[in-house]
Amino acid sequence: MALIPNRTDKSKTSGDPGGPAPSAEDEVLIREIDEAVRQDDAAAFMKRYGPTLAGVIVLFLAAFGGWLYWQNLEESKLEAQSETLITALDAVEAGDYESASEQVQPLIAQGMPGARAAALFLQAGAALEQGETARAVDLYAMIAADEEIPAALRDLARLREVASNFDEREPADAIAKLEPLAQPGSTFYGSAAELTAIAHLEMGNRDEAGAIFAAIAKDDTLPETLTRRAQQLAGVLGVDAIEDVEALLREEGVLPQEGEEAAGAPR
């Protein structure tokens, strides 16, 4: 490796404020020496690390190419699975439930989790339409037990599993199955809590059922049809689920709206 010569004459260096500046020839020489040093350093670096760096680059390019191929393959599979589901849905609309169920069967064994869940839901719905309740319940249970399927879909399947044969199911079993879903904040809280309250009624637990109906009635995040129904059932069971009686009477038209009486409107 080239070395920069040691300039011992301080009167000729730019570091000496009182000395003369380097000549043009000296500056050119210094630049050439610096460039030679940089070239030697680069050559030494490539000689030492070049093969390793080249290997890393090759591995990166191979991995990137594999990822692109995988992405293309996954997109092709998704498109094929989507087309299968669309064709099956067309069969459902035409009332051909048996054909629809057969068309999505390959997705259950080979499809991605989302496509597999959609296929199972479709088969369960077709089974219910054909009066095969037991098969539908088994299919919903299969979805609920599949940990690869998103949690929201598994919870929906568990709710449908209980609702599909609720009348034939033991009330205690229904309550146990729905317990995780019948908690405030759950995505399916309203429906699960209502079924839980009905199961308590069938077991003769009127107080528990009334308390659940009252809680549903007071939940502003639930659909109004559900809260009104729960409010009425809570009242039948002797539980007051109305927080503002006057507001309810105004809403029902029993009392005039605020401001109407002052304007001379009849009671």
Side-chain angles (χ1 to χ4, degrees), residues 49-161:
Y49 300 107
T52 303
L53 184 60
V56 170
I57 293 174
V58 169
L59 287 175
F60 171 77
L61 291 176
F64 183 67
W67 180 79
L68 289 177
Y69 174 77
W70 179 82
Q71 283 286 95
N72 183 62
L73 185 63
E74 292 295 298
E75 289 179 2
S76 300
K77 289 171 62 177
L78 282 174
E79 290 177 2
Q81 292 173 11
S82 298
E83 290 176 1
T84 300
L85 288 171
I86 291 172
T87 303
L89 288 173
D90 290 339
V92 168
E93 291 182 1
D96 190 355
Y97 301 109
E98 185 174 354
S99 175
S101 182
E102 291 176 355
Q103 289 176 19
V104 298
Q105 183 62 34
L107 300 181
I108 297 176
Q110 304 173 359
M112 297 178 181
R116 182 165 67 250
L120 288 169
F121 271 114
L122 190 149
Q123 284 192 340
L128 288 176
E129 291 292 339
Q130 295 175 299
E132 301 175 359
T133 304
R135 181 167 181 265
V137 170
D138 290 340
L139 289 168
Y140 286 131
M142 189 183 301
I143 300 171
D146 192 337
E147 295 185 356
E148 291 186 353
I149 293 175
L153 294 179
R154 286 189 280 120
D155 288 345
L156 175 59
R158 186 173 292 107
L159 177 63
R160 295 293 300 147
E161 176 190 352

Side-chain angles (χ1 to χ4, degrees), residues 151-211:
L153 294 179
R154 286 189 280 120
D155 288 345
L156 175 59
R158 186 173 292 107
L159 177 63
R160 295 293 300 147
E161 176 190 352
V162 175
S164 296
N165 67 343
F166 184 79
D167 294 336
E168 292 79 29
R169 189 181 291 269
E170 288 293 329
D173 177 63
I175 293 171
K177 284 253 184 202
L178 294 173
E179 183 179 4
L181 309 180
Q183 307 299 323
S186 168
T187 303
F188 304 103
Y189 164 64
S191 299
E194 185 177 39
L195 288 175
T196 299
I198 295 172
H200 276 295
L201 272 181
E202 292 183 355
M203 294 177 66
N205 302 329
R206 293 175 60 89
D207 292 342
E208 289 85 349

Side-chain angles (χ1 to χ4, degrees), residues 36-37 75 225:
V37 170
E75 289 179 2
T225 54

